[in-house]
Amino acid sequence: MTRLSDEHTEDLIRESLEHLAARAPDGAEIRDALAQRPSRRPTMALALVAAAVAIIALGVPLGLRAYTTVTPASPRNADWAVLPYKPGWLPDGFKELTRSAKPYPGPQTRTWSNGEVGQLRLTTTPLDDRGGPWTIAPAPNQIIVHGRVGMVAEVYGDGTMLTWSPDDTYLLSLTLVGVKDPRGVGQRIADEMVRDDRARVSGELRFGRLPTDLELSGVNLFMTVGGGATELEATRTGQPTAAAVVTASLRAERPDSGDATPVPLKVRGADGFFLPQRTGRLGQQDETVAVQVEGGRWLTVSGKRDQATLLDIANGVQLIPGDYSWFGKPPE
């Protein structure tokens, strides 16, 4: 394996992990791990994880040669809510739980669970053709998917991640947690991955008015005890993969007041409330505007903006028909 300098390797690992931490739902765990990173050189296990993450974050196409340089291809779905790939096979009992999508060059994610401890997460990331070709040495622990070299690594302590590029347009990352023989199962899922281009991330909310410095940057669909839930994210304009500045959600659960007292507020012509920054069940919470809408569910808008801005966004949010028909089903 061709070696990079220790200094350059560490810089690449750190930058790549930071990129992924900003995109991934569990990014806080990655950042916490970075903060606690020992000063000694990474072990081989960490190097494998970092290399896989580097491939995802930097958009590295994989080829068959031992040292490959490939210019990323540009064709991809113009509609980033369309999911380009799906498993053609999953172990018995695995059913879909969540879908999420971000605009280019952000990833799209789908998760499946067997209802017990097993979980599968498929992340599809468009190769970023703005950065030019990337060159990387292959990891020692390789997989072959339809003649293309990929890699496998341990992640999160008890998970296994397989990473490969099926078409020089997308990079796929499959994470398996709580699955027996994860490498073998992951290899079969990778071998039987097929184009989708029909499934969508189609929720029940649409932003209306947004401040001029913000734009839609993500849609997340998931199930709660009260039924389907939709969450929209908005980031600063031109920064689609950055952390959300404002989120809007529609779900059955009333927002957590934490240690704050709700302040009555008219929202969308109905009796709602405002919550200042507070500490709740999930830790520190941003300012929040909320109102119960038709059907008994709660529309919530929160983020790092003042009450007037959050109220204006909430008043402009559109409620539209959503699609949760995929929930609790195996791939079709």
Side-chain angles (χ1 to χ4, degrees):
M1 173 179 176
T2 306
R3 290 186 177 275
L4 301 172
S5 70
D6 292 344
E7 180 180 358
H8 181 65
T9 300
E10 186 155 332
D11 289 343
L12 178 62
I13 290 169
R14 173 169 288 276
E15 180 183 356
S16 301
L17 285 172
E18 285 289 358
H19 275 294
L20 184 62
R23 296 179 182 179
D26 49 2
E29 296 180 9
I30 298 174
R31 287 198 173 94
D32 289 343
L34 284 171
Q36 300 170 12
R37 180 180 54 86
S39 58
R40 61 183 174 81
R41 288 179 59 185
T43 62
M44 182 58 71
L46 177 59
L48 284 172
V49 174
V53 172
I55 290 174
I56 296 172
L58 298 177
V60 180
L62 298 177
L64 287 174
R65 291 184 296 169
Y67 199 80
T68 306
T69 301
V70 180
T71 302
S74 59
R76 56 185 168 271
N77 290 334
D79 183 351
W80 52 266
V82 175
L83 300 168
Y85 279 93
K86 69 178 180 181
W89 173 87
L90 287 181
D92 291 340
F94 277 87
K95 298 176 180 179
E96 194 164 7
L97 295 185
T98 69
R99 291 181 177 180
S100 64
K102 296 180 75 67
Y104 177 82
Q108 299 159 315
T109 303
R110 307 172 74 166
T111 65
W112 293 263
S113 174
N114 63 5
E116 299 175 353
V117 298
Q119 187 179 73
L120 305 171
R121 181 171 65 187
L122 175 65
T123 301
T124 305
T125 306
L127 296 177
D128 189 345
D129 57 10
R130 297 175 302 174
W134 295 95
T135 303
I136 191 168
N141 204 1
Q142 297 180 354
I143 59 169
I144 304 294
V145 182
H146 298 296
R148 292 171 171 263
V149 177
M151 63 193 303
V152 60
E154 295 180 0
V155 292
Y156 312 131
D158 61 349
T160 299
M161 181 171 68
L162 288 78
T163 305
W164 73 102
S165 176
D167 56 11
D168 289 337
T169 302
Y170 293 96
L171 193 81
L172 273 56
S173 172
L174 176 67
T175 303
L176 304 91
V177 178
V179 176
K180 185 179 296 185
D181 184 22
R183 178 162 183 166
V185 171
Q187 178 76 62
R188 180 174 175 184
I189 295 173
D191 288 339
E192 300 195 31
M193 195 69 60
V194 296
R195 290 288 301 195
D196 192 333
D197 288 333
R198 292 183 302 154
R200 295 178 55 86
V201 182
S202 179
E204 297 177 279
L205 294 180
R206 181 179 297 153
F207 280 127
R209 295 185 299 272
L210 279 175
T212 56
D213 65 327
L214 297 182
E215 65 182 0
L216 174 66
S217 63
V219 181
N220 306 304
L221 307 182
F222 50 94
M223 277 288 167
T224 68
V225 292
T230 299
E231 180 183 80
L232 302 181
E233 299 177 353
T235 59
R236 293 189 183 280
T237 303
Q239 302 178 21
T241 60
V245 176
V246 170
T247 63
S249 66
L250 182 66
R251 64 178 74 190
E253 299 85 2
R254 178 188 173 99
D256 178 23
S257 298
D259 58 3
T261 300
V263 178
L265 183 69
K266 284 290 184 181
V267 185
R268 302 172 71 88
D271 292 330
F273 57 84
F274 168 75
L275 291 168
Q277 285 188 353
R278 62 206 183 277
T279 301
R281 296 189 308 269
L282 301 178
Q284 194 67 23
Q285 306 289 302
D286 290 324
E287 285 93 344
T288 299
V289 166
V291 66
Q292 201 166 23
V293 296
E294 185 177 354
R297 290 184 294 170
W298 287 88
L299 172 65
T300 303
V301 177
S302 61
K304 298 172 176 59
R305 291 296 165 99
D306 59 24
Q307 175 182 327
T309 301
L310 297 177
L311 176 60
D312 187 60
I313 294 173
N315 285 334
V317 166
Q318 302 172 34
L319 277 63
I320 59 177
D323 177 20
Y324 300 106
S325 62
W326 49 268
F327 180 79
K329 296 181 180 179
E332 296 179 348

